Amino acid sequence: EDQVTQSPEALRLQEGESSSLNCSYTVSGLRGLFWYRQDPGKGPEFLFTLYSAGEEKEKERLKATLTKKESFLHITAPKPEDSATYLCAVQAGGYQKVTFGTGTKLQVIP
Amino acid sequence: DAGVIQSPRHEVTEMGQEVTLRCKPISGHNSLFWYRQTMMRGLELLIYFNNNVPIDDSGMPEDRFSAKMPNASFSTLKIQPSEPRDSAVYFCASSVRQGDNQPQHFGDGTRLSIL
């Protein structure tokens, strides 16, 4: 069974204080790893897809990286508007089914 | 472009009543997914459709839950009879066929409270 573990569960940063969120996964035949952002009262919003170890994607202050066992979401000089829950999800094998982690709740203090 | 549209946004009803949640996927997307989100269990896939056909319903918790997709632009998730433990946020998502690992795009959910 595919497993996705995210850490930490919650993270509080000062504005401008860079950090990383972790997503560890156990799957058979990774086809894609997805990062989403979820704001309170909203659905998850797609950020990135990573397909293979060594791949990196960037968007504004966010950078996602992938190894064979985990993915990191690096947040550089975060702003209060980056506060949200960040979800990681994996798709494996020949299936469309995607397994989500339970997320990291990020709070950025001005 | 219009995203995934879900209705109602909030539903409060009494135990034993029938509940119907509705979803309109993004035009041109041919895969549709229903999820349930709770604090304890996070996002759980209930069922998904390809080209209006149910492919995997192994996440549907009980026979009280059923889902239909009569056409490419509409799907329903029905709970009958509802129970307090069904209280959660239910999300619908759509994507193009995931042969190319396309991401799922989510609606803003239906917050369901069963009293």
Side-chain angles (χ1 to χ4, degrees):
Chain A
E1 184 177 325
D2 300 339
Q3 291 191 346
V4 180
T5 304
Q6 291 189 246
S7 61
E9 289 186 10
L11 181 62
R12 195 176 185 195
L13 300 173
Q14 292 291 324
E15 184 172 1
E17 179 186 2
S18 301
S19 188
S20 296
L21 313 182
N22 178 262
C23 171
S24 298
Y25 62 90
T26 304
V27 299
S28 177
L30 181 72
R31 296 185 63 200
L33 184 142
F34 306 92
W35 281 98
Y36 286 84
R37 168 192 172 128
Q38 186 173 22
D39 292 297
K42 298 287 189 179
E45 176 188 350
F46 170 70
L47 294 173
F48 304 109
T49 307
L50 301 168
Y51 296 103
S52 58
E55 189 175 2
E56 299 182 353
K57 293 269 180 79
E58 286 190 67
K59 180 179 180 179
E60 297 182 356
R61 294 176 293 281
L62 300 178
K63 179 179 171 181
T65 62
L66 181 65
T67 72
K68 289 186 177 180
K69 294 184 177 181
E70 57 191 351
S71 177
F72 291 93
L73 185 65
H74 306 278
I75 303 176
T76 301
K79 297 182 177 181
E81 53 262 42
D82 295 322
S83 298
T85 296
Y86 291 85
L87 298 167
C88 168
V90 297
Q91 184 187 31
Y95 306 102
Q96 294 181 252
K97 190 172 179 177
V98 171
T99 302
F100 279 84
T102 53
T104 294
K105 185 174 182 179
L106 174 66
Q107 184 181 17
V108 182
I109 310 298
Chain B
D1 289 339
V4 175
I5 299 172
Q6 292 188 244
S7 65
R9 289 297 317 276
H10 303 273
E11 175 87 14
V12 180
T13 191
E14 292 188 349
M15 181 175 65
Q17 297 297 307
E18 177 178 293
V19 173
T20 300
L21 312 182
R22 297 173 175 79
C23 175
K24 177 179 170 58
I26 294 172
S27 177
H29 284 189
N30 49 14
S31 294
L32 184 140
F33 305 80
W34 282 101
Y35 288 87
R36 178 170 67 178
Q37 187 175 43
T38 60
M39 289 292 292
M40 291 295 293
R41 299 172 69 92
L43 264 173
E44 300 175 281
L45 178 66
L46 301 177
I47 184 171
Y48 75 90
F49 297 81
N50 279 346
N51 297 316
N52 314 335
V53 176
I55 303 300
D56 184 349
D57 65 354
S58 59
M60 297 284 261
E62 300 173 30
D63 291 345
R64 299 184 295 106
F65 286 69
S66 62
K68 294 182 179 180
M69 192 165 186
N71 57 62
S73 59
F74 183 67
S75 178
T76 60
L77 177 68
K78 187 174 292 187
I79 308 172
Q80 167 64 17
S82 57
E83 296 183 4
R85 59 193 167 123
D86 302 329
S87 298
V89 181
Y90 290 80
F91 288 102
C92 175
S94 70
S95 72
V96 296
R97 178 70 192 269
Q98 289 212 346
D100 295 322
N101 306 323
Q102 295 299 308
Q104 297 174 20
H105 297 270
F106 285 76
D108 282 337
T110 295
R111 182 173 294 275
L112 177 63
S113 297
I114 309 296
L115 306 177

